Amino acid sequence: MSQQAAQVETLFLHEHGEEFRVAAHRDGERLFHGILELKETDAGPRPRRLRVKDGTSEELRSPDQFVDLARRAARIRVSEQTAPLARERIREMLDAYQIEAKVVRTCRLCASDGRYSPITSETAIETDDETICPECARQQLDRELAFKGSISGDARDRLEELLLEVQDLDRVTNLLSGQLDPDLTKFDEISATVDEVDPVRVDSLDLHPGMQEHLESRFETLLPVQSLAVEHGATEGRDQLVVSATATGKTLIGEMAGIDRVLNNKGTMLFLVPLVALANQKYEQFQDRYGDMVDVSLRVGASRIADEGGRFDPEADVIVGTYEGIDHALRTGKDLGTVGTVVIDEVHTLGEDERGHRLDGLISRLKYYCESGGAPDSGDTQWIYLSATVGNPGQLADQLRATLIEFEERPVPIERHVTFADGREKIETEKKLVKRAFDNKSSKGYRGQTIIFTNSRRRCHQISRKLEYSSAPYHAGLDNRKRQRVERQFADQDLAAVVTTAALAAGVDFPASQVIFDSLAMGIEWLTVQEFSQMLGRAGRPDYHDKGTVYMLVEPDCSYHNSMEMTEDEVAFKLLKGEMEPVITHYDEGAAVEETLANVTVAGKEAKRLNDRMVGEVPTKHALGKLLEYEFIDGLSPTPLGRAVTRHFLAPDESFQLLDGIRKGQHPYEIVADMELRDEH
């Protein structure tokens, strides 16, 4: 004991019932601990004995050994949590031996375990009406996380960071139950930015009088990205890739160029989008804006069966179409007339696994169509590509042979929040967020409205039914009339929220102030950084709102399909911290065979040239070999089977499954059910 006493830096005492815990420390490490008993004498309190603990056993020491230990210790500290009377007994006992002690604030949990852990106002963590040290607070947080289920390192680091920042354990653990403490849920803020661009006056444009008059009735000057595009030849036939945030005015660039060329007899304008819902919305907008100047028609995927109530007219001046709708026209040899301008909206779709190769093929086939007599006599077709999110804009512009117009302004700031909740808690949290937004108006007089993104149509309806304020589901399973009604109600501020699938995130025009991620999945795939950025960009419009707000509702240790390797909490911080993925079109064997067959069907002997100029690298020789093996082509012409396969956008394995079912005499419903089951697995 005497040797240990000589080495003790701190001797710590803390009340323990009628006794006192004693702990000896050196260099932050505990040397030993035990229990000190006092006795009352005529001269005052004195040590009775010291019981030194060793695991589960105890070793008795004499009172003199405690006194010797106290005299040799560099300092003696008494816990502030010790009751005043007990503290006075210790002080009186030590004074008798002329030993000084200081009362300090310590962690009760450490003291109860015989450890000396002083805390200050900078390190104290509040919990249950007491203060504990950061290490004990971390341990309690870990126990709470274990109770909730496994949680990723990034999510745990974020919670620990908040714990040390706000010094309140209960506030932090409340986040795990979906509590909306804005000071804690706020992850960061994407500031509003303004690039200095000299605005182009509308009256300085040299457009067809009809388009010129139309624009002058709406604007005095163009927005910055529009001004940049005009300065770099958008209204002079130059091909452009325009990359700029949502709500910065990209669409008008395509409209200015395309409608002007239509009015000057330089060919039809094609405005192409990835989704039927978006095509319907753009069609209605174009009808309203330009219907008195030009004929507007609609060509969507459903046009393979019916022309959407007769709205498709190949002779129209402006054709709004889905990628698939226009591609189907090419694959089946339809005449699209003379094409003067092609606007490809959401061109970052080129990077998607499922649809990327089809857009890549469509662009190549459409260029071939225009070069083969489908372009105006007065010049080549103009191509304008639009996107809010491209990780490699320079490279993509080179591949598309277009001038890059990149504008990084964000019209309003966006706050990004993260909170944790399970599936049931998420809906309660969404109710609170939707209500809070709709109950407040911006300085421009608009109520806050919300888009909730989730990963299934069923969940859309489930959430919408349970929200307190008026809301509506919005997904591809609704017919066009119902979707239009939802769009109109939202625009009129009759709805506090729309609940939609992530698949409909691209470009659908809901002027929302708030975006909530009920799920970070699209179907059974986690969102990419690009998709996430595209979706959160829907929050906040400069003409409506002062800021945008984004909430990610994250369920720890959750995944939506057994094929998902990561959990939702891991994905959340990957999305928040990740860099935008480059737009790259990848070709596996099925995609290469499908696009090569479509190119053979459209261009025959020129198919290799079409493959060579696509954005992705297509293994043409291998694909042609497979087409011959599958009997989809004969030489460089499609067989009847090949035409049927490409007409219906079938991958090779899908076509073989169909053929197998037909040959076995299966009912069509059985074949479709089998194909759906195959897709799920």
Side-chain angles (χ1 to χ4, degrees):
M1 172 74 79
S2 59
Q3 182 180 2
Q4 287 181 320
Q7 298 172 333
V8 169
E9 288 180 352
T10 304
L11 188 65
F12 174 60
L13 294 100
H14 172 71
E15 184 181 11
H16 179 64
E18 297 295 319
E19 304 164 330
F20 296 88
R21 288 191 182 277
V22 178
H25 286 258
R26 184 183 67 239
D27 297 331
E29 296 291 328
R30 188 175 68 186
L31 297 174
F32 62 87
H33 75 292
I35 300 294
L36 173 67
E37 298 177 33
L38 297 185
K39 64 183 179 181
E40 295 298 328
T41 70
D42 293 340
R46 294 292 186 272
R48 179 193 299 273
R49 61 181 175 179
L50 176 65
R51 308 196 311 267
V52 175
K53 291 187 173 292
D54 182 12
T56 57
S57 63
E58 291 184 346
E59 181 183 345
L60 290 178
R61 300 295 176 91
S62 72
D64 292 341
Q65 284 186 304
F66 170 76
V67 175
D68 183 53
L69 173 67
R71 282 176 169 159
R72 291 173 179 272
R75 56 178 177 262
I76 297 179
R77 298 291 183 257
V78 179
S79 169
E80 188 183 61
Q81 283 90 338
T82 299
L85 288 176
R87 207 186 305 164
E88 185 58 35
R89 290 182 72 209
I90 284 288
R91 186 183 294 278
E92 190 178 346
M93 182 268 293
L94 293 174
D95 284 347
Y97 298 106
Q98 297 183 332
I99 299 172
E100 293 186 359
K102 184 177 180 181
V103 176
V104 295
R105 188 183 185 192
T106 63
C107 172
R108 182 190 63 80
L109 297 179
C110 287
S112 297
D113 193 36
R115 287 179 286 119
Y116 173 59
S117 180
I119 52 178
T120 66
S121 59
E122 287 77 25
T123 62
I125 307 293
E126 300 291 333
T127 179
D128 293 332
D129 299 323
E130 67 173 340
T131 53
I132 59 177
C133 69
E135 184 56 37
C136 287
R138 288 189 189 98
Q139 291 174 8
Q140 291 208 21
L141 176 61
D142 283 341
R143 282 194 288 272
E144 188 69 25
L145 294 178
F147 175 73
K148 283 286 184 179
S150 178
I151 193 166
S152 72
D154 280 342
R156 186 196 180 282
D157 291 347
R158 172 62 179 166
L159 291 170
E160 186 174 309
E161 178 185 303
L162 290 172
L163 179 66
L164 299 178
E165 181 181 316
V166 302
Q167 297 178 251
D168 190 325
L169 178 62
D170 298 330
R171 280 182 71 189
V172 173
T173 54
N174 282 342
L175 288 179
L176 296 170
S177 300
Q179 292 290 316
L180 297 176
D181 187 333
D183 291 335
L184 299 191
T185 60
K186 184 177 176 181
F187 180 80
D188 63 10
E189 179 172 314
I190 304 174
S191 301
T193 57
V194 179
D195 280 359
E196 292 298 325
V197 175
D198 292 331
V200 171
R201 290 189 58 83
V202 173
D203 58 17
S204 71
L205 299 173
D206 184 21
L207 301 176
H208 183 280
M211 189 62 182
Q212 186 76 32
E213 183 179 334
H214 172 83
L215 290 177
E216 288 180 11
S217 70
R218 294 172 63 191
F219 318 108
E220 287 188 10
T221 61
L222 296 178
L223 293 173
V225 70
Q226 298 160 356
S227 299
L228 283 175
V230 167
E231 288 172 1
H232 290 82
T235 56
E236 298 167 7
R238 293 284 298 274
D239 294 351
Q240 293 186 344
L241 167 62
V242 183
V243 179
S244 184
T246 300
T248 51
K250 296 185 297 296
T251 301
L252 188 67
I253 297 168
E255 294 175 25
M256 278 192 299
I259 302 292
D260 181 61
R261 286 169 71 84
V262 166
L263 296 174
N264 283 305
N265 298 314
K266 294 184 179 179
T268 299
M269 172 186 177
L270 298 182
F271 193 98
L272 308 186
V273 296
L275 302 170
V276 173
L278 186 52
N280 284 318
Q281 195 174 67
K282 293 295 183 187
Y283 169 74
E284 297 294 337
Q285 289 175 354
F286 280 27
Q287 281 277 47
D288 290 342
R289 290 176 189 168
Y290 308 112
D292 59 340
M293 289 189 285
V294 295
D295 295 327
V296 184
S297 186
L298 180 70
R299 172 86 184 188
V300 296
S303 300
R304 290 179 285 162
I305 302 168
D307 289 336
E308 281 287 299
R311 286 187 287 176
F312 177 58
D313 175 11
E315 305 282 323
D317 301 315
V318 176
I319 299 175
V320 178
T322 57
Y323 303 158
E324 186 186 36
I326 297 301
D327 200 4
H328 183 263
L330 295 173
R331 293 179 184 216
T332 55
K334 296 283 195 306
D335 186 1
L336 294 174
T338 300
V339 180
T341 310
V342 178
V343 181
I344 307 283
D345 201 7
E346 313 296 343
V347 73
H348 55 265
T349 303
L350 281 166
E352 294 184 9
D353 289 339
E354 293 293 323
R355 296 186 295 184
H357 66 87
R358 287 181 176 167
L359 176 56
D360 196 13
L362 165 62
I363 292 171
S364 186
R365 288 186 283 279
L366 195 49
K367 285 184 175 180
Y368 172 79
Y369 171 86
C370 295
E371 293 162 357
S372 303
D377 295 336
S378 55
D380 294 334
T381 303
Q382 181 181 10
W383 292 75
I384 296 178
Y385 310 92
L386 308 176
S387 178
T389 50
V390 175
N392 56 334
Q395 178 188 7
L396 185 60
D398 289 343
Q399 291 171 317
L400 293 170
R401 298 175 179 82
T403 300
L404 175 61
I405 307 297
E406 189 174 13
F407 181 66
E408 296 185 359
E409 176 180 295
R410 178 165 293 283
V412 296
I414 293 183
E415 283 186 1
R416 304 196 300 179
H417 293 253
V418 182
T419 191
F420 300 92
D422 64 26
R424 295 184 305 277
E425 292 167 341
K426 283 184 177 184
I427 294 181
E428 288 303 309
T429 303
E430 286 153 4
K431 286 169 67 173
K432 295 174 187 175
L433 289 171
V434 169
K435 183 179 187 302
R436 187 168 72 186
F438 201 61
D439 284 347
N440 288 283
K441 288 186 177 180
S442 71
S443 63
K444 301 169 177 68
Y446 287 91
R447 286 180 176 273
Q449 291 171 279
T450 302
I451 301 173
I452 300 177
F453 287 116
T454 190
N455 69 325
S456 74
R457 298 177 187 179
R458 183 183 62 80
R459 180 77 171 168
C460 285
H461 290 271
Q462 181 185 10
I463 295 171
S464 182
R465 282 194 301 268
K466 294 186 178 181
L467 294 180
E468 182 176 340
Y469 285 177
S470 57
S471 64
Y474 185 93
H475 53 71
L478 302 178
D479 63 37
N480 184 43
R481 180 178 54 81
K482 289 181 180 177
R483 285 201 296 264
Q484 285 183 341
R485 184 172 68 240
V486 173
E487 292 163 14
R488 186 171 58 254
Q489 289 176 319
F490 197 89
D492 292 340
Q493 296 226 302
D494 293 332
L495 293 177
V498 293
V499 191
T500 186
T501 53
L504 279 186
V508 177
D509 189 19
F510 287 113
S513 62
Q514 178 172 255
V515 165
I516 299 174
F517 288 88
D518 175 73
S519 163
L520 298 180
M522 184 182 292
I524 62 170
E525 299 289 339
W526 292 120
L527 296 176
T528 64
V529 174
Q530 183 184 77
E531 290 162 345
F532 176 63
S533 299
Q534 182 83 12
M535 294 159 76
L536 72 83
R538 315 312 303 173
R541 294 292 183 86
D543 296 333
Y544 296 80
H545 313 119
D546 304 311
K547 69 175 181 179
T549 308
V550 174
Y551 270 87
M552 302 169 71
L553 308 187
V554 177
E555 183 170 359
D557 201 29
C558 165
S559 61
Y560 297 94
H561 192 267
N562 56 19
S563 64
M564 292 173 152
E565 295 181 358
M566 300 177 72
T567 59
E568 193 161 54
D569 49 307
E570 291 176 303
V571 172
F573 291 92
K574 172 179 173 287
L575 295 177
L576 288 164
K577 298 176 181 179
E579 293 188 6
M580 193 83 68
E581 300 93 349
V583 174
I584 299 173
T585 310
H586 295 286
Y587 281 90
D588 59 18
E589 183 178 281
V593 167
E594 182 181 340
E595 297 312 318
T596 303
L597 176 59
N599 286 344
V600 168
T601 303
V602 171
K605 296 177 182 178
E606 297 289 322
K608 183 179 184 304
R609 182 165 69 87
L610 270 63
N611 277 14
D612 289 345
R613 71 175 174 195
M614 284 155 72
V615 170
E617 292 187 15
V618 186
T620 303
K621 186 175 180 180
H622 179 76
L624 287 171
K626 286 295 180 182
L627 289 172
L628 288 167
E629 178 186 333
Y630 299 155
E631 298 182 353
F632 288 170
I633 61 173
D634 181 6
L636 283 175
S637 297
T639 62
L641 174 60
R643 287 190 184 278
V645 168
T646 199
R647 177 188 296 264
H648 294 285
F649 293 79
L650 295 173
D653 56 343
E654 292 175 323
S655 62
F656 296 141
Q657 188 172 2
L658 273 171
L659 285 171
D660 187 52
I662 292 168
R663 287 166 181 158
K664 289 178 179 177
Q666 284 182 284
H667 191 280
Y669 290 165
E670 289 183 78
I671 298 174
V672 171
D674 288 345
M675 293 182 74
E676 288 291 328
L677 287 172
R678 181 187 64 84
D679 288 341
E680 288 184 8
H681 296 292

